[in-house]
Amino acid sequence: MIQTARIQTYLMDSSALPDPLDVPEKLHTLARDRVEKIYRIRHLETRKQSFGAGLLLDYALGQQIGIRRPYLLAFNSYGKPVCGQAVFNLSHTEHFVIVSIWEKTCLEEIETGLSIGCDIEAVRMYQPKIARRFFTENEYACLEKAEKQTRDEQFCRYWTRKESVIKMTGLGMSLPIDLFDISQKSKIIPDRQKLAAWQETETGQRPENRQAANLLQSGKIFFGEYSYEGCCITVCSTVDRFAPKLLVVEAG
């Protein structure tokens, strides 16, 4: 039976890792830029997050893409990592790191124009001031109307959807998150007036930004959503083909 390629998301508990500075032999398998970054980080938990992200990416590239060590990472002008033809994205929260990656098989090549963004956040108390400042009026109204017992998770889910979209475009926080509405999981609703105004700015006229604006208006943006130990996880892509479950990789 021919298996259809899809986006698989891996998760690792980075808090269970040792301090990478205590196990330098395990750093040799990681990309050079990742190792250099780890040595620059002073805070232990942040250092372990970076270490976990490197280990998980190393695992995913080998498991799904067949890319063997040593490999090189590159970054676009906004810092999104790329590695050869692999299509993937990374995210982390306090204790967990995730990698979402396209399963490339010998029977099916990468989809044309495929892009992936992912985000993981721990569910915390709803913050109306942040929602009012950064979200669309409709998103804010939906949160205010939500049942109190579900509002915290809904707020987190909205945030991870927003983050996954801006990461998928490769623009990160340079793409204003109030340019589009994500209150409906099945589709993104662009604010065409705000998008048009943004495209008139010097930033919005850059080729990669025009491409992102066109993508937001196309409606060809899909979400895969997961939950894990008090965290919301959202994966965003230009194709609607997400693995049904997370795959948890043991730390170390």
Side-chain angles (χ1 to χ4, degrees):
M1 183 176 66
I2 297 176
Q3 293 184 337
T4 301
R6 61 190 180 180
I7 299 165
Q8 179 64 63
T9 297
Y10 295 89
L11 178 144
M12 179 182 288
D13 181 353
S14 61
S15 67
L17 290 168
D19 184 341
L21 301 187
D22 293 336
V23 286
E25 68 278 4
K26 293 190 176 183
L27 297 178
H28 296 319
T29 66
L30 306 184
R32 180 181 299 176
D33 69 289
R34 172 69 59 179
V35 176
E36 292 174 350
K37 179 180 180 180
I38 288 171
Y39 276 104
R40 291 196 301 268
I41 298 172
R42 295 185 178 183
H43 187 265
L44 175 59
E45 291 305 318
T46 306
R47 195 158 61 235
K48 289 164 70 172
Q49 287 172 2
S50 185
F51 183 34
L55 291 174
L56 197 57
L57 178 60
D58 186 57
Y59 178 88
L61 289 173
Q63 184 78 10
Q64 297 292 7
I65 309 299
I67 294 179
R68 302 304 176 190
R69 310 179 186 108
Y71 58 84
L72 296 175
L73 287 180
F75 299 86
N76 74 1
S77 55
Y78 293 93
K80 185 176 183 179
V82 294
C83 181
Q85 290 187 319
V87 183
F88 66 92
N89 199 225
L90 294 153
S91 182
H92 62 77
T93 186
E94 290 182 9
H95 302 300
F96 302 111
V97 294
I98 61 170
V99 172
S100 296
I101 190 166
W102 177 254
E103 295 179 334
K104 181 181 176 183
T105 72
C106 60
L107 299 175
E108 187 168 12
E109 292 300 317
I110 294 174
E111 295 279 335
T112 302
L114 173 67
S115 186
I116 296 172
C118 66
D119 189 51
I120 178 171
E121 301 286 345
V123 176
R124 295 185 174 87
M125 185 178 296
Y126 169 56
Q127 300 182 54
K129 290 183 179 179
I130 291 179
R132 192 177 189 105
R133 178 181 177 185
F134 292 104
F135 288 179
T136 67
E137 292 182 8
N138 182 61
E139 290 163 346
Y140 174 70
C142 288
L143 287 167
E144 286 293 300
K145 294 176 184 176
E147 297 291 334
K148 289 186 178 180
Q149 60 267 32
T150 62
R151 186 182 290 161
D152 293 346
E153 184 172 352
Q154 186 172 332
F155 174 63
C156 184
R157 182 63 68 191
Y158 279 15
W159 192 267
T160 60
R161 288 181 193 171
K162 292 280 193 180
E163 285 277 354
S164 68
V165 171
I166 64 176
K167 292 179 69 178
M168 181 199 66
T169 65
L171 302 185
M173 290 305 294
S174 67
L175 179 68
I177 62 175
D178 65 345
L179 297 182
F180 55 94
D181 186 289
I182 47 72
S183 58
Q184 299 183 49
K185 178 186 174 181
S186 59
K187 62 181 178 180
I188 283 181
I189 303 173
D191 186 321
R192 300 189 185 280
Q193 185 174 357
K194 285 186 178 180
L195 268 174
W198 180 67
Q199 287 182 284
E200 291 298 319
T201 66
E202 181 179 352
T203 300
Q205 291 179 5
R206 296 171 183 169
E208 61 268 38
N209 295 12
R210 289 199 301 269
Q211 183 179 2
N214 291 336
L215 180 57
L216 291 176
Q217 296 182 77
S218 72
K220 296 180 179 179
I221 296 176
F222 306 94
F223 294 117
E225 297 186 332
Y226 310 90
S227 297
Y228 187 82
E229 295 192 7
C231 294
C232 291
I233 298 167
T234 300
V235 185
C236 179
S237 181
T238 49
V239 296
D240 189 14
R241 284 153 66 179
F242 303 95
K245 295 181 180 179
L246 296 168
L247 290 181
V248 178
V249 178
E250 292 298 322

